[in-house]
Amino acid sequence: MASIFSKIVAGEIPAYKVAETTGFLAFLDINPLAEGHVLVIPKKEVDELFDLDDETYTGLQIFAKIVATGMKKVLPCKRIGVTVIGLEVPHAHIHLIPINGVNDMNFTKPKLKFTPEEFSATAEKIKAALRTTEG
Ligand code: AMP
């Protein structure tokens, strides 16, 4: 069965997308630890990050770098934290999380709630920053 992320890739379920290439997609985590918590994924469905072929793995890391650079421009944070967990969704992904301290990466904390309008506004902000980055 296709993963929930493959369903997002196929357009079968919605997501707040922030960046897309032929091989990769970035969208907001629906249960975020911070405003602008982003997931970057390869469109190709592989469960574990370290099982990706080298080309997809390095492409994903470069894509994550581009997205994180845009995020840093528009989200109030000291750093973009990077982590890989993968215990919930069996489709390789990297979490990019705007952080001000190490506790902001604590996945046992209650997740934040945002309205659809707030999620959309955050996604638009990151997209705009990425357009500037590209230009
Ligand atoms: P993990 O597999 O442990 O890295 O966690 C998967 C992450 O995906 C969690 O942070 C979820 O909130 C997030 N997630 C699950 N379903 C969706 C979805 N439909 N859209 C956006 N994020 C999701």
Side-chain angles (χ1 to χ4, degrees), residues 51-129:
D51 285 336
L52 291 172
D53 62 80
D54 288 356
E55 189 184 346
T56 307
Y57 178 80
T58 52
L60 182 67
Q61 294 291 353
I62 292 164
F63 182 66
K65 177 182 170 179
I66 292 166
V67 174
T69 303
M71 290 168 62
K72 186 88 194 303
K73 285 186 182 163
V74 289
L75 299 167
C77 62
K78 285 190 182 156
R79 299 275 166 155
I80 303 299
V82 180
T83 195
V84 175
I85 300 179
L87 291 171
E88 185 186 319
V89 178
H91 185 139
H93 56 281
I94 298 172
H95 293 259
L96 301 176
I97 307 170
I99 59 169
N100 290 298
V102 71
N103 203 37
D104 296 337
M105 300 283 286
N106 180 354
F107 275 78
T108 64
K109 282 201 314 189
K111 304 302 184 294
L112 302 181
K113 301 280 179 215
F114 294 108
T115 64
E117 292 75 22
E118 288 169 332
F119 273 121
S120 292
T122 301
E124 282 308 318
K125 211 159 49 171
I126 299 169
K127 273 197 259 187

Side-chain angles (χ1 to χ4, degrees), residues 4-5 8 13-16 27-32 37 39 83-91 93 95 107 111:
I4 194 150
F5 293 168
I8 290 173
I13 62 169
Y16 298 97
F27 53 91
L28 296 181
D29 192 305
I30 206 71
N31 292 304
H37 178 166
L39 302 175
T83 195
V84 175
I85 300 179
L87 291 171
E88 185 186 319
V89 178
H91 185 139
H93 56 281
H95 293 259
F107 275 78
K111 304 302 184 294

